[in-house]
Amino acid sequence: MSVRKYADRKRYFFLSVEETQAFAADYATGIPPGSVIALIGDLGTGKTTFTQGFARGLGITEQVGSPTFKIVSEYKGDHLILYHVDCYRLKNGADFLNIGGETLLNPDNGVTVIEWADIIEEILPAEAIVIHFSRIPGKVDQRGIIIEEHRDEIISI
């Protein structure tokens, strides 16, 4: 069994879609080029909502939607390109690599945000930022996220 160790883990709660998007827009302004952000969570937990706000933070004015059927969407921001990936229809990391995914894991001129990243977890870069999404029980519009940054290593136990 493998366990990931993280240097920094932060938890946030949002009362609305607008709060989630505002946080994501602000968060995007501090993300350096070449970053990979792995989004993990059940259907309807806010992954695409977060990505829409993140895109706004990069200066993207286009409508950002879930790329479930095309798998990858590309958006040009003020200074960076956003590669928005949806792995929902993939089976594993090999499927991702077969569509040219290795370039998306090393985005020199942009940032890659991957929805359903748990499907390709075994090939994510060690330095990927992992964000876990969840619903708040009994609160229709409220969501929680946990951000795990600066993954140190994967250890076997």
Side-chain angles (χ1 to χ4, degrees):
M1 177 179 183
S2 295
V3 176
R4 285 184 177 72
K5 294 174 68 179
Y6 298 91
D8 194 13
R9 179 179 237 174
K10 296 177 184 165
R11 181 182 301 263
Y12 301 91
F13 296 96
F14 305 108
L15 301 176
S16 66
V17 166
E18 295 78 19
E19 273 190 20
T20 303
Q21 290 179 336
F23 173 85
D26 186 57
Y27 188 73
T29 64
I31 298 297
S35 295
V36 173
I37 302 172
L39 309 182
I40 298 173
D42 291 336
L43 193 64
T45 54
K47 298 178 299 294
T48 301
T49 296
F50 180 91
T51 305
Q52 290 166 339
F54 191 89
R56 194 171 62 235
L58 294 179
I60 295 165
T61 57
E62 292 176 65
Q63 176 63 31
V64 173
S66 181
T68 301
F69 293 101
K70 49 185 188 170
I71 301 177
V72 180
S73 293
E74 185 177 311
Y75 304 94
K76 199 166 264 208
D78 291 339
H79 304 290
L80 295 173
I81 296 171
L82 172 63
Y83 301 99
H84 183 197
V85 181
D86 190 323
C87 292
Y88 183 75
R89 297 179 65 222
L90 302 178
K91 290 185 178 114
N92 52 40
D95 278 359
F96 184 76
L97 294 175
N98 286 336
I99 63 163
E102 62 275 354
T103 58
L104 297 167
L105 297 177
N106 298 293
D108 291 335
N109 58 344
V111 175
T112 299
V113 173
I114 305 171
E115 295 191 36
W116 298 96
D118 47 319
I119 293 171
I120 63 162
E121 187 172 21
E122 74 275 8
I123 62 167
L124 289 173
E127 64 278 1
I129 298 165
V130 179
I131 305 178
H132 298 270
F133 291 77
S134 62
R135 290 184 189 90
I136 305 302
K139 307 291 183 182
V140 175
D141 292 327
Q142 296 182 24
R143 300 293 186 265
I145 66 170
I146 298 172
I147 298 177
E148 298 171 331
E149 295 179 334
H150 312 295
R151 188 175 352 172
D152 292 324
E153 60 184 310
I154 298 176
I155 57 172
S156 294
I157 57 171

